[in-house]
Amino acid sequence: MVCFRKVFMIRNYYKKKILQAVQETFPDILSDLSGIDILKPRKPEWGDISTNAPMIIAKVLKKRPDETASLLIKTLNDINHRTSGGHFASRIEFAAPGFINIFFSREFMFGILNSIFESGYRFGYSDEKKGEGYLVEYVSANPTGPLHIGHGRGAVLGDVICRVLKCCGYDVLREFYVNDAGAQVKNLVLSVIERIKEIEGKGEANIPEDGYKGEYVREIAQRLILETKIGYESALENQAVVREFAVNYMLDRIKSTLGTLGVEFDNFFSESILFDRGMVERCIREFESESKVFEKDGALFLRMENNDDDKDRVLRKSNGYYTYFASDIAYHRDKFERENGRFQKIIDIWGSDHHGYIPRMKGAVRLLGYNPENFIVILVQMVRVLKDGKPVKMSKREGDFITLDEIMQDVGRDATRYTFLMRKGDAQLDFDIDILKSQSLNNPVYYAQYGYARICSILRKAAEAGIGLPAGISKEDFDGLVLSEELDIIKKMGEFPDLLDNISKSLEPHLLVYYIQELQAMFHQYYTKYKKTEKVLSDDPVKLNGRLALIIALKTVLKNAFDLMGVDAPERMSMKGDEDEE
RNA sequence: GGGCCAGUAGCUCAACGGAUAGAGCAACGGCCUUCUAAGCCGUAGGUUGGGGGUUCGAGUCCCUCCUGGCUCGCCA
């Protein structure tokens, strides 16, 4: 058997073999070979994995691609026969204009299946990069209102990115930045106080221009009165009390929504702490001593020109207050410095309306003495909510919006998460409430879950028939797997570790959805095609054991993928028309 | 006006610079006495916004134009 140790990535495995072949065939070649690529062919007749190496080498050596290819194939065949424990390829072919196509051997596919059983729920996981730290900040909604759908998208994306990074062996900290020091919170406080006045009948609520008019503000006021016995006048005098209560109330509510969504955080980092601990001042003092700032018109500017930004930026306004940018610099410095530099990479997930802020923050990171490349911003486009076919205007201040809680009540957590994960973050997304409500049975998440439930159903049937489930795959039972659909499913499952590695680098979790969708389609097709002829529960004991092993492995891979997406993997699903059961 | 992102099937979107551009919805026609029909099969649908360029090869990279979104504060 081909040796599978720890995480096994097919791409890397074959890349090694091909590079080895290149070295052995052309020992004198010195050029840069980074153009050599390992591809997954689109057509079955092009093999299971292929490379463009002949073309790259042909260019360097000024030879014809078919010449370099035939030499490489010769060496590859040689290596294939030398490989201890079994061959990795059953066929190695040339294809015009200069590809080498490799077909997996049965030994290789047996190895994939075997490694799924060996790794189980950790299949696809890695501990290779252990120690490399990522601090991922996401959501970070102002505690001035309930979460809306846009927050949900960022939350799910951040959550799944963290899950994938963790399983790829990174040291991950999930953080929520609480903007509890700025003007927005102040506006909330004033709004709450006005509602208190209204409730006590001391006049009409006079919500300030930048205040919040949502119903929840009245709720905060009512609770505040109830729990602290505070009145209008004392609230005016003790705004800090109102502030603390309101922020805590909103944070609790936000946390509860996140809990429903299945999104967790390791840390909630308060903006106020940056000021309380003098972290903002410290940054500014150091910038001053390094002549990175200057005063103009009574304000303090950070020199950003000719850096990453196109403009000098204000850190301290002429009224003496610091800008949001100033505290954000201190915050990001802390991220890099925290726990003796535990985090090499800082990832922020922002709404794409903040994209103009990226050069500024990158520049600040550079001025702090860190490499801006280690500060990565993922942008998430705002979600447009459609109702009655028309976009719903959403204004937090006007209190006119659909909350994330309401969305989840309508379509459920799984569908909500799945919908957000279906597209990459920086693409516009329409969330049509009516369609998701009325056609929720058509939701793609059910397609994915249905396949899982089907597998469980077969395994239940097997148990009922007294058939023991295999805990692994033996060489003999593997002989029962000969249908091309079966082998294709095995190959696809083998891609899972590559996929996770890819996502951990590209930070694009939507690939997970596409993978599940494809894998499920393969299973549904296989199931339907053979439900009358070649059932999993075959009378032939070799086929039976092979197929049981296949679907148990499939169940494992699917479960792992679902877990990473935070979507439920149901053991059974009721069919249409069965609603009245139970 | 400057900057960032996008423009791919009727709609929503995929496709590390690789071979004949793919799914899902929607449309049309089929498949349930058998391991779950929330499934499967088939048909139709495209000059990848337009035009140049780079090379063995471009939806992908460069230039330019068109269109849309976002953004250009001593707001956060």
Tab-separated table of all heavy atoms in Angstrom, chain A residues 509-528:
chain	number	residue	atom	x	y	z
A	509	PRO	N	-14.138	29.905	2.413
A	509	PRO	CA	-14.881	28.723	2.858
A	509	PRO	C	-15.987	28.276	1.909
A	509	PRO	O	-16.494	27.174	2.059
A	509	PRO	CB	-15.484	29.150	4.206
A	509	PRO	CG	-15.067	30.535	4.450
A	509	PRO	CD	-14.304	31.052	3.284
A	510	HIS	N	-16.350	29.114	0.950
A	510	HIS	CA	-17.418	28.685	0.043
A	510	HIS	C	-17.025	27.434	-0.738
A	510	HIS	O	-17.886	26.697	-1.214
A	510	HIS	CB	-17.800	29.811	-0.921
A	510	HIS	CG	-16.783	30.083	-1.969
A	510	HIS	ND1	-15.690	30.884	-1.750
A	510	HIS	CD2	-16.672	29.643	-3.245
A	510	HIS	CE1	-14.959	30.934	-2.863
A	510	HIS	NE2	-15.535	30.191	-3.780
A	511	LEU	N	-15.716	27.185	-0.826
A	511	LEU	CA	-15.262	25.980	-1.516
A	511	LEU	C	-15.796	24.716	-0.841
A	511	LEU	O	-16.005	23.696	-1.484
A	511	LEU	CB	-13.734	25.951	-1.570
A	511	LEU	CG	-13.083	27.120	-2.324
A	511	LEU	CD1	-11.571	27.107	-2.154
A	511	LEU	CD2	-13.456	27.055	-3.800
A	512	LEU	N	-16.009	24.827	0.455
A	512	LEU	CA	-16.540	23.698	1.226
A	512	LEU	C	-17.935	23.324	0.730
A	512	LEU	O	-18.273	22.145	0.579
A	512	LEU	CB	-16.592	24.108	2.704
A	512	LEU	CG	-16.334	23.132	3.827
A	512	LEU	CD1	-15.284	22.104	3.513
A	512	LEU	CD2	-15.973	23.904	5.089
A	513	VAL	N	-18.741	24.335	0.471
A	513	VAL	CA	-20.101	24.093	-0.019
A	513	VAL	C	-20.058	23.392	-1.375
A	513	VAL	O	-20.777	22.415	-1.603
A	513	VAL	CB	-20.883	25.413	-0.149
A	513	VAL	CG1	-22.177	25.195	-0.922
A	513	VAL	CG2	-21.183	25.985	1.227
A	514	TYR	N	-19.205	23.887	-2.247
A	514	TYR	CA	-19.112	23.286	-3.575
A	514	TYR	C	-18.647	21.841	-3.479
A	514	TYR	O	-19.121	20.979	-4.205
A	514	TYR	CB	-18.166	24.104	-4.466
A	514	TYR	CG	-18.851	25.323	-5.013
A	514	TYR	CD1	-18.957	26.480	-4.255
A	514	TYR	CD2	-19.446	25.285	-6.260
A	514	TYR	CE1	-19.614	27.588	-4.745
A	514	TYR	CE2	-20.114	26.395	-6.761
A	514	TYR	CZ	-20.191	27.545	-5.998
A	514	TYR	OH	-20.867	28.627	-6.485
A	515	TYR	N	-17.727	21.601	-2.578
A	515	TYR	CA	-17.227	20.235	-2.398
A	515	TYR	C	-18.345	19.303	-1.936
A	515	TYR	O	-18.552	18.236	-2.497
A	515	TYR	CB	-16.079	20.236	-1.391
A	515	TYR	CG	-15.536	18.858	-1.107
A	515	TYR	CD1	-14.680	18.238	-2.003
A	515	TYR	CD2	-15.909	18.173	0.045
A	515	TYR	CE1	-14.187	16.970	-1.756
A	515	TYR	CE2	-15.423	16.902	0.298
A	515	TYR	CZ	-14.564	16.303	-0.603
A	515	TYR	OH	-14.088	15.046	-0.358
A	516	ILE	N	-19.063	19.720	-0.926
A	516	ILE	CA	-20.149	18.895	-0.404
A	516	ILE	C	-21.194	18.642	-1.481
A	516	ILE	O	-21.688	17.539	-1.652
A	516	ILE	CB	-20.810	19.589	0.806
A	516	ILE	CG1	-19.900	19.467	2.015
A	516	ILE	CG2	-22.162	18.972	1.105
A	516	ILE	CD1	-20.615	19.516	3.323
A	517	GLN	N	-21.504	19.689	-2.199
A	517	GLN	CA	-22.505	19.587	-3.246
A	517	GLN	C	-22.082	18.533	-4.287
A	517	GLN	O	-22.879	17.705	-4.711
A	517	GLN	CB	-22.668	20.965	-3.906
A	517	GLN	CG	-24.046	21.272	-4.416
A	517	GLN	CD	-25.026	21.648	-3.313
A	517	GLN	OE1	-24.676	21.701	-2.146
A	517	GLN	NE2	-26.266	21.869	-3.682
A	518	GLU	N	-20.818	18.583	-4.678
A	518	GLU	CA	-20.327	17.635	-5.684
A	518	GLU	C	-20.298	16.214	-5.141
A	518	GLU	O	-20.713	15.270	-5.820
A	518	GLU	CB	-18.914	18.031	-6.135
A	518	GLU	CG	-18.896	19.194	-7.110
A	518	GLU	CD	-17.477	19.688	-7.368
A	518	GLU	OE1	-16.551	18.859	-7.437
A	518	GLU	OE2	-17.302	20.917	-7.487
A	519	LEU	N	-19.805	16.093	-3.928
A	519	LEU	CA	-19.703	14.760	-3.329
A	519	LEU	C	-21.094	14.145	-3.165
A	519	LEU	O	-21.306	12.960	-3.448
A	519	LEU	CB	-18.987	14.873	-1.981
A	519	LEU	CG	-18.532	13.582	-1.306
A	519	LEU	CD1	-17.686	12.740	-2.238
A	519	LEU	CD2	-17.761	13.901	-0.032
A	520	GLN	N	-22.049	14.948	-2.719
A	520	GLN	CA	-23.408	14.457	-2.546
A	520	GLN	C	-24.032	14.084	-3.878
A	520	GLN	O	-24.738	13.081	-3.980
A	520	GLN	CB	-24.280	15.521	-1.865
A	520	GLN	CG	-23.933	15.777	-0.432
A	520	GLN	CD	-24.316	14.635	0.478
A	520	GLN	OE1	-24.413	13.492	0.048
A	520	GLN	NE2	-24.530	14.925	1.743
A	521	ALA	N	-23.772	14.890	-4.893
A	521	ALA	CA	-24.324	14.580	-6.210
A	521	ALA	C	-23.813	13.221	-6.667
A	521	ALA	O	-24.568	12.407	-7.198
A	521	ALA	CB	-23.936	15.667	-7.208
A	522	MET	N	-22.525	12.952	-6.435
A	522	MET	CA	-21.953	11.673	-6.840
A	522	MET	C	-22.647	10.526	-6.116
A	522	MET	O	-22.942	9.485	-6.710
A	522	MET	CB	-20.449	11.653	-6.544
A	522	MET	CG	-19.661	12.620	-7.409
A	522	MET	SD	-17.955	12.813	-6.874
A	522	MET	CE	-17.210	11.438	-7.721
A	523	PHE	N	-22.903	10.739	-4.844
A	523	PHE	CA	-23.553	9.677	-4.081
A	523	PHE	C	-25.004	9.479	-4.524
A	523	PHE	O	-25.459	8.348	-4.719
A	523	PHE	CB	-23.499	9.969	-2.581
A	523	PHE	CG	-24.309	8.983	-1.776
A	523	PHE	CD1	-23.928	7.652	-1.727
A	523	PHE	CD2	-25.455	9.381	-1.105
A	523	PHE	CE1	-24.684	6.723	-1.011
A	523	PHE	CE2	-26.208	8.469	-0.395
A	523	PHE	CZ	-25.822	7.139	-0.337
A	524	HIS	N	-25.745	10.577	-4.691
A	524	HIS	CA	-27.142	10.478	-5.120
A	524	HIS	C	-27.245	9.737	-6.463
A	524	HIS	O	-28.127	8.909	-6.664
A	524	HIS	CB	-27.766	11.865	-5.247
A	524	HIS	CG	-28.165	12.491	-3.938
A	524	HIS	ND1	-28.936	11.839	-3.000
A	524	HIS	CD2	-27.887	13.702	-3.414
A	524	HIS	CE1	-29.116	12.636	-1.959
A	524	HIS	NE2	-28.489	13.775	-2.184
A	525	GLN	N	-26.318	10.076	-7.372
A	525	GLN	CA	-26.340	9.427	-8.688
A	525	GLN	C	-26.054	7.935	-8.552
A	525	GLN	O	-26.730	7.096	-9.160
A	525	GLN	CB	-25.298	10.079	-9.610
A	525	GLN	CG	-25.717	11.458	-10.096
A	525	GLN	CD	-24.541	12.322	-10.506
A	525	GLN	OE1	-23.466	11.811	-10.803
A	525	GLN	NE2	-24.735	13.636	-10.510
A	526	TYR	N	-25.048	7.624	-7.787
A	526	TYR	CA	-24.662	6.231	-7.547
A	526	TYR	C	-25.829	5.454	-6.944
A	526	TYR	O	-26.209	4.379	-7.414
A	526	TYR	CB	-23.463	6.226	-6.599
A	526	TYR	CG	-23.083	4.897	-6.009
A	526	TYR	CD1	-22.655	3.844	-6.804
A	526	TYR	CD2	-23.122	4.703	-4.622
A	526	TYR	CE1	-22.280	2.632	-6.252
A	526	TYR	CE2	-22.747	3.498	-4.056
A	526	TYR	CZ	-22.334	2.463	-4.873
A	526	TYR	OH	-21.975	1.262	-4.320
A	527	TYR	N	-26.417	6.048	-5.940
A	527	TYR	CA	-27.533	5.422	-5.233
A	527	TYR	C	-28.696	5.135	-6.179
A	527	TYR	O	-29.223	4.026	-6.244
A	527	TYR	CB	-27.985	6.352	-4.112
A	527	TYR	CG	-29.180	5.857	-3.332
A	527	TYR	CD1	-29.009	5.093	-2.183
A	527	TYR	CD2	-30.476	6.140	-3.745
A	527	TYR	CE1	-30.087	4.633	-1.476
A	527	TYR	CE2	-31.563	5.675	-3.049
A	527	TYR	CZ	-31.371	4.929	-1.907
A	527	TYR	OH	-32.445	4.468	-1.212
A	528	THR	N	-29.085	6.162	-6.934
A	528	THR	CA	-30.253	6.028	-7.812
A	528	THR	C	-29.998	5.042	-8.951
A	528	THR	O	-30.859	4.241	-9.281
A	528	THR	CB	-30.620	7.402	-8.411
A	528	THR	OG1	-30.662	8.362	-7.362
A	528	THR	CG2	-31.964	7.338	-9.099
